[in-house]
Amino acid sequence: MVARRVTVVMSTNRVSPYLPEALQSLKDQSFPDWELIVMDNGSPDPDGVRDAVSAVPGAEVVAEAGHGVSIPLNHGAALARGEFLTFLDDDDVWLPDRLERFVTALDAAPDAGAAYSSVDFIDSRGQRGEPLFVAAGETRRDLLAGRYPFPNVVSVMYRRTDFLRVGGFNPALHYAEDTDLTFRMLQYSRMVAVPEVLTLYRRHEQNVTRVLPTELHDASRRMIGMQLWGAEHHPDPGVLEDVRANLDALDARDSADSVGVGLDRLRRGQVVGAGRMFTRAVRLDAPVAVREVTRRVGNRLRRPAAS
């Protein structure tokens, strides 16, 4: 089989109602030199997955046992034959020039391990909304130090050798596995920005995370702890400095979100739970906690009273 320049990996555990649209957005790409590997990650309807994927000529469907998201994506990457590797969610949509723009960017930057773009939300009806991520003039150090948010994995194309070199996704992580990968990529490679919106990320009832932001922050904190251990052995001392700054930035975000959760619990009459959140906010970053309480309470006081 002739190797394609780009391997597209999709992992799915269902026949998503948005799957045909996602696959069609791949078929509509202006760049034709790609292959598709679909990891059926324990779908209850494997025949339905195969039927849907059969709309893409030459696509390969590989059965998985129903693991978390990291294992099937890593397995798909191991099976890839392309020079470049990118991941398509079963409910997202790609703009027609997505692959072409990424390949052009990576060809122009042979030292870069990945390229990423801006991403906009779409809703369940396909209506385009606000940005999820905006690729601008951020530097590698801006990203590492947390001065700018990390690009979401749906917005990235990797040079396959660089993806494999840094180890792919960590199966031990339930949350923040894509952030963990980006941390490692930034420490050992360069990522180039393509400022256009090339991916539409679908937000709908089935993919809305139903955990508190503070829980997600705790997962990220554990993940950054692993990054700190690795950064201590990095030949560039600036990497350790940047990862520590990223942890400080996480604490500030967590402090602000803890205030929000605390005020919400206070409005519900959950005084003990609110107290825990306020204590957490002060412990993480006291100045941020004070500013956030002042801001939120001030905004509430400025709202016009309901007639």
Side-chain angles (χ1 to χ4, degrees):
M1 181 178 292
V2 177
R4 301 293 188 178
R5 287 208 75 194
V6 177
T7 297
V8 178
V9 174
M10 173 186 286
S11 176
T12 186
N13 60 3
R14 58 186 174 169
V15 182
S16 165
Y18 311 107
L19 179 57
E21 187 178 359
L23 294 173
Q24 187 62 48
S25 74
L26 172 59
K27 291 171 64 179
D28 290 342
Q29 290 296 299
S30 59
F31 184 83
D33 196 9
W34 51 265
E35 64 176 359
L36 173 64
I37 299 175
V38 176
M39 310 303 297
D40 181 349
N41 192 26
S43 165
D45 183 12
D47 290 336
V49 171
R50 289 186 178 275
D51 287 345
V53 175
S54 67
V56 182
E60 180 179 359
V61 179
V62 179
E64 273 284 356
H67 300 104
V69 66
S70 295
I71 288 178
L73 293 181
N74 286 341
H75 187 182
L79 297 173
R81 295 171 287 269
E83 177 184 358
F84 304 119
L85 175 68
T86 191
F87 300 98
L88 173 61
D89 282 0
D90 64 7
D91 49 6
D92 291 345
V93 174
W94 286 354
L95 277 293
D97 60 343
R98 182 185 190 273
L99 295 183
E100 182 176 3
R101 293 289 291 116
F102 276 146
V103 170
T104 299
L106 287 170
D107 280 346
D111 63 324
Y116 61 93
S117 74
S118 301
V119 182
D120 279 356
F121 281 113
I122 54 172
D123 63 18
S124 58
R125 297 169 299 164
Q127 296 297 308
R128 198 155 162 178
E130 72 272 16
L132 166 65
F133 176 83
V134 178
E138 63 279 1
T139 67
R140 171 175 171 264
R141 295 205 64 174
D142 286 334
L143 292 166
L144 262 180
R147 292 188 290 269
Y148 200 85
F150 278 6
N152 189 292
V153 68
V154 303
S155 72
V156 182
M157 177 181 283
Y158 302 92
R159 205 176 296 277
R160 182 172 58 87
T161 52
D162 284 74
F163 176 90
L164 297 174
R165 183 164 65 99
V166 299
F169 297 101
N170 185 346
L173 298 178
H174 186 57
Y175 297 118
E177 65 281 342
D178 56 341
T179 304
D180 170 75
L181 170 62
T182 302
F183 256 121
R184 283 179 276 120
M185 184 66 68
L186 289 168
Q187 289 181 53
Y188 296 102
S189 187
R190 187 164 73 91
M191 299 179 70
V192 294
V194 178
E196 300 100 303
V197 174
L198 299 178
T199 301
L200 303 178
Y201 177 83
R202 196 181 301 271
R203 182 164 51 186
H204 55 86
E205 185 66 21
Q206 284 72 42
N207 71 355
V208 175
T209 301
R210 289 179 174 80
V211 297
L212 289 173
T214 50
E215 293 179 47
L216 294 176
H217 291 321
D218 281 340
S220 294
R221 190 169 288 105
R222 290 190 292 272
M223 179 272 298
I224 296 178
M226 292 189 292
Q227 303 299 328
L228 281 171
W229 182 85
E232 288 174 354
H233 304 278
H234 198 282
D236 178 1
V239 168
L240 178 59
E241 177 186 339
D242 288 339
V243 176
R244 284 174 172 161
N246 200 301
L247 182 58
D248 290 341
L250 172 65
D251 286 346
R253 292 194 302 274
D254 193 349
S255 178
D257 285 339
S258 297
V259 167
V261 174
L263 290 173
D264 182 63
R265 289 182 176 177
L266 198 59
R267 285 191 291 270
R268 296 167 184 258
Q270 301 170 0
V271 177
V272 174
R276 291 197 188 102
M277 285 294 104
F278 294 142
T279 300
R280 174 191 176 101
V282 170
R283 174 176 54 82
L284 287 166
D285 195 319
V288 167
V290 171
R291 287 198 301 270
E292 190 66 11
V293 168
T294 303
R295 184 185 72 83
R296 287 176 179 261
V297 172
N299 287 345
R300 190 168 182 84
L301 292 175
R302 285 191 292 272
R303 290 176 190 165
S307 57

